[in-house]
Amino acid sequence: MAVGARSGHGEPEDRPERFSGPSSAGSPGSAGEPSPGTGHTEGPAADADGGTDDGGTGDGGPKKPRSFWKELPLLIGIALLLALLIKTFLVQAFSIPSDSMMNTLQRGDRVLVDKLTPWFGSEPERGEVVVFHDPGGWLEGEPTPDPNFLQEFLSFIGLMPSSEEKDLIKRVIAVGGDTVECKKGGKVVLNGKPLDETSYIAPGSTPCDDEPFGPIKVPEDRIWVMGDNRQNSLDSRYHQELPGNGTVANERVVGRAVVVAWPLGRWSTLPVPSVFDQPGLNAATAAAVAPGALGLAGALPVVLWRRKRRTAE
């Protein structure tokens, strides 16, 4: 056999290959071995930006997420801030401390009060249940709660019902410009219209037999309020000797109670009773507007006549 000839068995010779230059696609080589010049390197793969795909263990790799316990204080801070903003501008919880609004509201109920709409100029309307700050002297002599620090803090941020001892909750019966009265044995009369209050006053209650009143003309930007449990409610009727003659300034109103949120078995909304939608309740307002409207109608022809004369001249 000549020197350098193959054995004829087709087995590769066990010796290093020699390369005289760049390899081509058809050049022989060992299977699975990288060809020189292809840019392949051993170790971690190189990223496009020059870093290495080493699973975050090398320089320039993705950082490990922060520990949950390190993130927790930030999450709590954001949650408390949001709760405070919601309580200040949107919705606040209040606890019912007495029986003055039975059976609509019972002692211990938690209601949610809409504080957003007043920011857009909304004012209390007839039939709404509203929360308001003590106008002055209404709660004199009443026992006041003594919450602990935690209760005060949770109340401050809105996670518990308000611990403010100077708030009351009643139903708006009349608004600025209305005339309201009630005689013993009769109904509440609003702007000359008797109100059928059977849908919301407590069963067995009379409209005002314990404290008749009126007629009373409600000043502008004030409201006349009464509890639904008439025989157990120290409302506007009982404070006529105070400044405002029993009425409450609109600016003292915190907001309208819209939902009974707790206990869950008593969950319900607090809509305006349909009796306040009856025709004629706005008669007093219409009467006040009528003279101005008539004056405008009378002045219009005079203005048009003067304009016509000036044009002709």
Side-chain angles (χ1 to χ4, degrees):
M1 180 180 294
V3 177
R6 296 178 183 269
S7 64
H9 296 288
E11 296 179 356
E13 297 181 74
D14 187 11
R15 65 188 183 197
E17 296 185 29
R18 296 180 180 180
F19 296 91
S20 59
S23 61
S24 62
S27 61
S30 300
E33 293 184 0
S35 300
T38 60
H40 179 79
T41 60
E42 294 184 358
D47 291 338
D49 59 357
T52 58
D53 186 12
D54 58 1
T57 59
D59 293 337
K63 296 181 180 179
K64 292 183 178 180
R66 295 179 65 181
S67 167
F68 169 76
W69 298 109
K70 291 182 179 179
E71 296 281 358
L72 186 60
L74 177 62
L75 295 176
I76 292 176
I78 294 175
L80 293 179
L81 178 60
L82 290 175
L84 181 60
L85 291 174
I86 290 172
K87 174 248 185 179
T88 303
F89 299 105
L90 300 179
V91 175
Q92 185 174 357
F94 284 84
S95 179
I96 306 303
S98 70
D99 300 325
S100 67
M101 284 295 292
M102 288 181 63
N103 282 346
T104 304
L105 300 173
Q106 297 183 7
R107 186 190 296 264
D109 283 354
R110 268 62 168 176
V111 298
L112 298 183
V113 174
D114 169 23
K115 301 179 69 174
L116 176 64
T117 52
W119 286 89
F120 294 94
S122 175
E123 295 186 347
E125 297 184 2
R126 306 180 192 98
E128 293 180 345
V129 176
V130 297
V131 171
F132 56 96
H133 298 310
D134 185 357
W138 284 39
L139 293 177
E140 186 175 349
E142 291 290 322
T144 57
D146 187 20
N148 58 39
F149 173 78
L150 179 60
Q151 290 173 325
E152 289 183 345
F153 175 72
L154 294 177
S155 173
F156 174 73
I157 63 175
L159 296 182
M160 280 188 65
S162 173
S163 61
E164 172 61 62
E165 72 276 9
K166 298 297 184 181
D167 291 336
L168 302 97
I169 184 166
K170 305 290 180 189
R171 188 180 298 276
V172 179
I173 301 298
V175 297
D178 288 344
T179 299
V180 61
E181 63 179 315
C182 184
K183 304 304 180 185
K184 189 171 183 177
K187 297 180 177 181
V188 173
V189 178
L190 178 61
N191 294 333
K193 297 288 184 179
L195 300 180
D196 181 1
E197 301 184 284
T198 54
S199 66
Y200 56 86
I201 65 171
S205 290
T206 60
C208 65
D209 283 3
D210 58 315
E211 189 70 21
F213 65 93
I216 293 172
K217 180 70 175 290
V218 181
E220 291 296 330
D221 298 322
R222 301 187 75 90
I223 55 176
W224 178 271
V225 297
M226 299 174 71
D228 289 355
N229 190 6
R230 295 290 162 79
Q231 276 63 59
N232 191 14
S233 177
L234 298 178
D235 46 42
S236 289
R237 298 170 293 163
Y238 290 91
H239 303 290
Q240 297 181 58
E241 77 285 356
L242 297 175
N245 303 115
T247 62
V248 180
N250 288 355
E251 63 184 15
R252 301 294 293 172
V253 176
V254 176
R256 175 188 173 186
V258 292
V259 171
V260 180
W262 187 266
L264 294 178
R266 283 186 44 75
W267 191 97
S268 62
T269 57
L270 297 170
V272 174
S274 59
V275 65
F276 291 95
D277 295 329
Q278 64 175 305
L281 288 185
N282 292 321
T285 304
V289 173
L294 291 175
L296 179 62
L300 185 60
V302 176
V303 172
L304 293 176
W305 175 74
R306 288 175 60 85
R307 287 173 60 92
K308 188 175 181 180
R309 279 194 60 185
R310 288 180 180 178
T311 303
E313 292 175 355

